Amino acid sequence: MIEKHIVLDDIDPVVFYGVGNIHLQMIKSLFPKVRVVARDNVIKVLGDEEQMAKLEEDVENMRKHISKYNVISEEDILDIVNGRQTKTDAGKGVLVYSVSGKPIKSRSRNQQLLVDAFNKNDMVFAVGPAGTGKTYLSIALAVKALKAKEVKKIILSRPAVEAGEKLGFLPGDMKEKIDPYLQPLYDSLEDMIPAVKLQDMMDKHIIQIAPLAFMRGRTLNDAIVILDEAQNTSTAQIRMFLTRLGMNSKMIITGDLTQIDLSYNQKSGLKEAIEILSGTEGIAVVKLDQKDIVRHKLVTRIVTAYDTYDKAKKIKTTP
């Protein structure tokens, strides 16, 4: 009797097997001529050769489904076994799915412009006020490219401006000093990649999160590279970062030019870079505004109120 081993790579076996092994039991009932034994991430099958081949193909399609959407339902399993497109697959414009199965896609015209710019260019500047989805959407684009094996890694960075990037006075080891500045990046990743898988990717350096100062001297190949909060970079810092771009890589630089935390006499590297590089082939600049805010409705009102205040103050101080 022929025996085969199917390895569930890159997914959480618990999601595949289902609560109380309900998915596994369903698969067994759909393939009565095959004996299925599962342990950890390995499925051992033996029996009818034709059904074994069909089971192996279907399990691989189920694995791909979980890798893409992070979830699978009994209905999805039936659709896959019967050769039908799943309802989830029928969705349009979805970049990736959250760990709860929620579709993540552009939610406004300018957010879609960001997606389109990313697809057509190797470097994209995305600027706009808080809550417009700059960082979240950028990370979704990176996760999608990684899952599609278009790149080998994701590299995320932020300037640790508040502590002058020295970080020495903060308690703990280097990771503990840095993590508070990088937490928003962790939050987005944790929403899109299951915790166990995310930790494994970080351990293997498939996903790397580091402060901007750690980018010096590197050449970033086969990667999606995101610089967040870039309005707080100096001219030298952003120039250093932009020249890290390697082969088969793309960069997204995000920032809010209304929230610059640099000293009053220091020019934002992001603002200067956009002035210098706008119109350069292969580089796109996407500007988001209040209409793109996807947080609580009060955030839109707060941003609008501050914009009005800033404009009035500027008019008042202009001779």
Side-chain angles (χ1 to χ4, degrees), residues 4-5 8 13 20 32 40-41 45 48 62 65 71 94 104 130 159 172 179 184 215 221 223 241 249 251 266 274 309:
K4 284 188 177 181
H5 288 189
L8 301 174
D40 297 326
N41 69 330
V45 294
D48 181 81
M62 293 174 204
H65 184 95
V71 293
V94 177
I104 298 171
D179 276 355
M215 294 295 106
N221 296 316
F241 179 83
S249 291
M251 275 187 176
Q266 188 175 7
I274 291 173
Y309 173 80

Side-chain angles (χ1 to χ4, degrees), residues 207-246:
I207 294 178
Q208 303 170 27
I209 305 178
L212 180 58
F214 286 25
M215 294 295 106
R216 189 172 297 280
R218 299 186 64 183
T219 300
L220 308 174
N221 296 316
D222 296 306
I224 303 298
V225 190
I226 298 173
L227 175 60
D228 192 35
E229 296 288 333
Q231 76 274 6
N232 289 327
T233 59
S234 66
T235 297
Q237 284 176 323
I238 199 163
R239 185 172 180 174
M240 174 275 291
F241 179 83
L242 298 179
T243 54
R244 302 304 96 199
L245 186 65

Side-chain angles (χ1 to χ4, degrees), residues 9-164:
D9 286 329
D10 302 328
I11 63 167
D12 184 351
V14 175
V15 177
F16 183 90
Y17 298 141
V19 178
N21 286 336
I22 188 170
H23 295 161
L24 183 62
Q25 296 305 322
M26 182 180 182
I27 292 168
K28 287 180 179 181
S29 69
L30 291 169
F31 292 88
K33 295 181 182 180
V34 176
R35 185 183 173 200
V36 180
V37 179
R39 185 171 183 178
D40 297 326
N41 69 330
V42 178
I43 299 174
K44 183 170 69 174
V45 294
L46 57 161
D48 181 81
E49 189 172 352
E50 187 176 337
Q51 273 214 356
M52 280 177 61
K54 176 70 165 64
L55 173 61
E56 188 174 18
E57 180 183 350
D58 289 344
V59 167
E60 174 59 15
N61 287 330
M62 293 174 204
R63 185 199 67 76
K64 288 178 179 177
H65 184 95
I66 294 171
S67 178
K68 184 176 182 180
Y69 304 119
N70 296 311
V71 293
I72 194 166
S73 66
E74 292 173 57
E75 186 179 5
D76 292 330
I77 291 171
L78 275 174
D79 284 338
I80 289 170
V81 172
N82 291 322
R84 297 192 296 261
Q85 183 183 45
T86 65
K87 287 184 178 179
T88 314
D89 272 329
K92 291 184 178 180
V94 177
L95 300 175
V96 290
Y97 285 77
S98 72
V99 293
S100 62
K102 178 184 174 183
I104 298 171
K105 57 183 178 180
S106 62
R107 294 172 61 181
S108 70
R109 178 178 174 276
N110 288 330
Q111 284 191 359
Q112 186 57 47
L113 287 177
L114 173 55
V115 173
D116 294 340
F118 175 83
N119 291 331
K120 296 175 183 176
N121 299 273
D122 288 337
M123 185 176 292
V124 179
F125 289 87
V127 294
T132 50
K134 305 180 299 294
T135 302
Y136 193 77
L137 198 62
S138 296
I139 291 177
L141 286 165
V143 171
K144 179 188 178 186
L146 184 66
K147 286 189 173 188
K149 301 188 186 301
E150 294 169 7
V151 293
K152 294 179 180 178
K153 54 184 177 283
I154 296 172
I155 300 170
L156 309 174
S157 186
R158 270 186 151 203
V161 166
E162 293 83 352

Side-chain angles (χ1 to χ4, degrees), residues 170-181:
L170 293 174
D173 60 20
M174 181 57 72
K175 186 177 186 300
E176 291 170 331
K177 293 174 192 288
I178 290 168
D179 276 355
Y181 300 98

Side-chain angles (χ1 to χ4, degrees), residues 70 97-100 104 136 186-193:
N70 296 311
Y97 285 77
S98 72
V99 293
S100 62
I104 298 171
Y136 193 77
Y186 288 113
D187 291 344
S188 296
L189 285 169
E190 287 169 355
D191 197 33
M192 301 176 201
I193 302 173

